[in-house]
Amino acid sequence: MVGTTHVIVAKNATSGDGQFASITAALAAQEDQIGSEQSILTVFIKQGVYNETLNITRKHVILIGEGAGKTVITGNKSHRFDNLSTPDTATVSVHGMGFMAQDLTIQNTAGPEGLQAVALMSRSHFSLVYRCSIEGYQDTLNADTGDQIYLETDIRGTIDFVFGYARAAFQGCRLLVRSSGASKPGAHNVVTAQGRSNPLDRSGFSFQNCSVTADEGANLTGVETFLGRPWKEHSHVIFMETFLSSIVNFTGWVEWNRSSGHIPDTVVYLEYANYGPGADTSRRINTTAVRVVTNCSEAAQYTADPFVNASAWMPKDKEGRYIIPYARGLIVRDPACPAPAPPTKA
């Protein structure tokens, strides 16, 4: 790295609280800086609601707010109302590697009527989202490509609200299922729609020490909720050491098209050591695609270090200590399972 640049964004920047009144202006001002692609750009965003659409193409951008619910980046583009492709509806789109967001909210307020409406779309390899809230309805978070980690982050939505092709690890996240207002027969919500299309691809979602519950005030009466459905024929997801509330349908997983489809045998849907009223696997959908993992060594391969090689790129201080804490292995480690390997140098 050449160096680090810090800028401050504030709604009342003209009063001296910040250098820029918008995040867009702060990012644009750095585009012409010599060597900017190799330096880290840290944007501190003060409390406020920023109605902006961000397209972040440069590498090593860090957005830090003053807390989820306090610093809010908001947009309302949607497939239905704006005639846009799903990725183009994103409030925040990230393409440059090494992106990080901390202590802020990213939302898409198009509502369930807008159909596909993305809050965050990340194509950033080695990206980290920490203590944030990502809010929408259908297709809230598009974890599209690259190795990604989401820590202690709330993700709100209805249908396929965590989707994409990325290899992403989620730890300590709350998956909060919202009401779409739909009351028609067969209405249902789905947490994940993972898009691995080739069994050799490094692609999949791992949820560890998370929770799947109804969002505050959500009326889910008569609306079934499922852990996932296969967007592509090799969809790959595991829920482990996670609280599954009673909103999770007893079958657990669902076909892409309930009326005419089935879950292909090439899909990999796994569960390990989950708990709560929705974690009973005795009546899961009858398919070889869905399996309960009983071997802790197999489950350990889905923790952050082996799954996304986290120890090689998670931020460290000068002494090599991790700046942001994360679980390097299973939360409840079976003595039969090996301890995590020493950290890998970046």
Side-chain angles (χ1 to χ4, degrees), residues 1-7 30 35-36 38-44 58 60 62:
M1 297 294 177
V2 173
T4 302
T5 301
H6 298 86
V7 298
Q30 301 303 314
S36 64
Q38 298 304 316
S39 65
I40 299 173
L41 172 61
T42 301
V43 183
F44 294 99
R58 66 167 284 163
H60 313 303
I62 301 174

Side-chain angles (χ1 to χ4, degrees), residues 55 86-88 90-95 106 118-124 140-145 148 150 163:
N55 184 30
T86 299
D88 288 339
T91 300
V92 176
S93 300
V94 187
H95 301 268
I106 300 171
V118 177
L120 172 63
M121 190 278 288
S122 178
R123 291 175 178 164
S124 174
T140 303
L141 170 61
N142 182 191
D144 199 44
T145 57
Q148 306 181 14
Y150 297 81
F163 78 103

Side-chain angles (χ1 to χ4, degrees), residues 59-211:
K59 300 176 182 177
H60 313 303
V61 172
I62 301 174
L63 304 181
I64 300 179
E66 293 194 312
K70 295 180 179 179
T71 298
V72 179
I73 306 171
T74 187
N76 63 359
K77 293 182 179 179
S78 71
H79 171 68
R80 181 179 183 183
F81 297 137
D82 298 283
N83 195 29
L84 295 171
S85 67
T86 299
D88 288 339
T89 66
T91 300
V92 176
S93 300
V94 187
H95 301 268
M97 70 178 293
F99 171 76
M100 177 177 168
Q102 177 178 328
D103 296 329
L104 51 79
T105 292
I106 300 171
Q107 63 182 204
N108 188 313
T109 61
E113 300 83 4
L115 303 179
Q116 295 93 334
V118 177
L120 172 63
M121 190 278 288
S122 178
R123 291 175 178 164
S124 174
H125 192 36
F126 302 151
S127 65
L128 168 62
V129 176
Y130 177 47
R131 291 194 316 219
C132 290
S133 183
I134 306 172
E135 302 173 358
Y137 287 85
Q138 183 172 348
D139 292 357
T140 303
L141 170 61
N142 182 191
D144 199 44
T145 57
D147 288 359
Q148 306 181 14
I149 294 183
Y150 297 81
L151 300 175
E152 299 176 33
T153 289
D154 290 350
I155 307 170
R156 291 176 165 86
T158 53
I159 301 170
D160 306 337
F161 64 94
V162 181
F163 78 103
Y165 304 93
R167 191 171 180 91
F170 300 78
Q171 289 187 357
C173 294
R174 296 195 305 167
L175 303 164
L176 300 165
V177 182
R178 299 179 121 175
S179 172
S180 64
S183 58
K184 61 182 180 180
H188 62 283
N189 290 325
V190 185
V191 178
T192 69
Q194 206 281 327
R196 186 175 67 160
S197 57
N198 186 314
L200 301 180
D201 286 348
R202 292 188 72 257
S203 174
F205 295 161
S206 167
F207 296 88
Q208 181 185 15
N209 193 31
C210 295
S211 63

